[in-house]
Amino acid sequence: MVSTTEPPIPTNYDRESELKAFDATKLGVKGLVDSGISQVPRIFIQTPENSQNPPNQAKTQFSFPVIDLHNVQKDPIRHKEVLEKVREAAETWGFFQVVSHGVSESVMEEMLEGVHGFFGQENEVTKQWYTRDLNRPFLYNSNFDLYGAPATNWRDTFNCIVAPMAPNPEDLPPPCRYTM
């Protein structure tokens, strides 16, 4: 569903109304896909005018940052180096891969099963968890910065703050309740 030439956005385009309509569905990007859309809505189109990082057409290979946490707790110098790598990766890429973090493979597999279980639910069930209320123990929405970013990202996200106080299991969706 990639288009190399996008039609120009008309001057009477009401982006805010389209954002509100998308948000009001509480179904996110998955809801758009499930509805069978054949064209990417304008709110997701990154135009050169609102791009902070124009694409470099010549560069096609990516090398994602990998942060190794081995011995980070035991060595203060290593700790400082890792923090600098995290800062740089977050500023440059916006994401990175973490290795040697101590989370077992089985726990990571359970988390993936929980994520798939959550997003695999019927839309009407998933919709009940959709919120922009940052005070809720479990947050599911599409684009935390939906109303502030120059372009909407093609993503749905859920998160949960588990420290310093873990949420009550009843405040979490059943597919990922106990793994989280």
Side-chain angles (χ1 to χ4, degrees):
M1 211 176 350
V2 175
S3 174
T4 55
T5 56
E6 297 295 339
I9 296 176
T11 55
N12 64 348
Y13 171 55
D14 186 356
R15 179 173 166 76
E16 188 169 342
S17 291
E18 195 171 321
L19 288 170
K20 287 179 180 178
F22 168 71
D23 201 28
T25 68
K26 297 185 174 192
L27 296 174
V29 171
K30 182 179 179 297
L32 289 174
V33 172
D34 289 350
S35 74
I37 64 163
S38 60
Q39 220 174 13
V40 175
R42 285 182 253 169
I43 61 172
F44 295 99
I45 297 172
Q46 179 87 7
T47 62
E49 298 82 43
N50 67 12
S51 176
Q52 296 171 356
N53 299 311
N56 180 350
Q57 299 297 332
K59 188 174 183 178
T60 58
Q61 292 292 326
F62 295 106
S63 177
F64 300 113
V66 176
I67 311 291
D68 187 348
L69 298 183
H70 183 73
N71 283 337
V72 76
Q73 297 293 346
K74 298 176 183 175
D75 182 350
I77 293 170
R78 174 104 175 97
H79 185 266
K80 186 175 180 179
E81 290 170 353
V82 168
L83 284 177
E84 179 56 27
K85 287 181 181 180
V86 168
R87 184 198 59 75
E88 183 179 320
E91 287 179 356
T92 305
W93 288 87
F95 60 90
F96 47 88
Q97 179 182 0
V98 178
V99 296
S100 304
H101 44 63
V103 178
S104 72
E105 190 77 28
S106 64
V107 170
M108 290 192 300
E109 287 174 17
E110 285 179 38
M111 281 301 299
L112 280 175
E113 287 174 21
V115 169
H116 289 184
F118 177 78
F119 285 108
Q121 298 176 105
E122 293 294 322
N123 284 340
E124 290 305 310
V125 175
T126 306
K127 184 182 200 176
Q128 295 170 10
W129 295 96
Y130 193 93
T131 184
R132 295 209 168 274
D133 180 355
L134 300 178
N135 295 314
R136 300 263 310 265
F138 181 85
L139 299 171
Y140 158 58
N141 61 43
S142 184
N143 291 262
F144 67 91
D145 58 352
L146 181 65
Y147 295 102
T152 307
N153 291 299
W154 191 261
R155 69 165 179 241
D156 293 333
T157 305
F158 74 71
N159 67 58
C160 174
I161 297 175
V162 296
M165 285 184 34
N168 291 324
E170 300 79 33
D171 292 334
L172 303 174
C176 48
R177 179 173 289 165
Y178 292 102
T179 303
M180 290 179 77

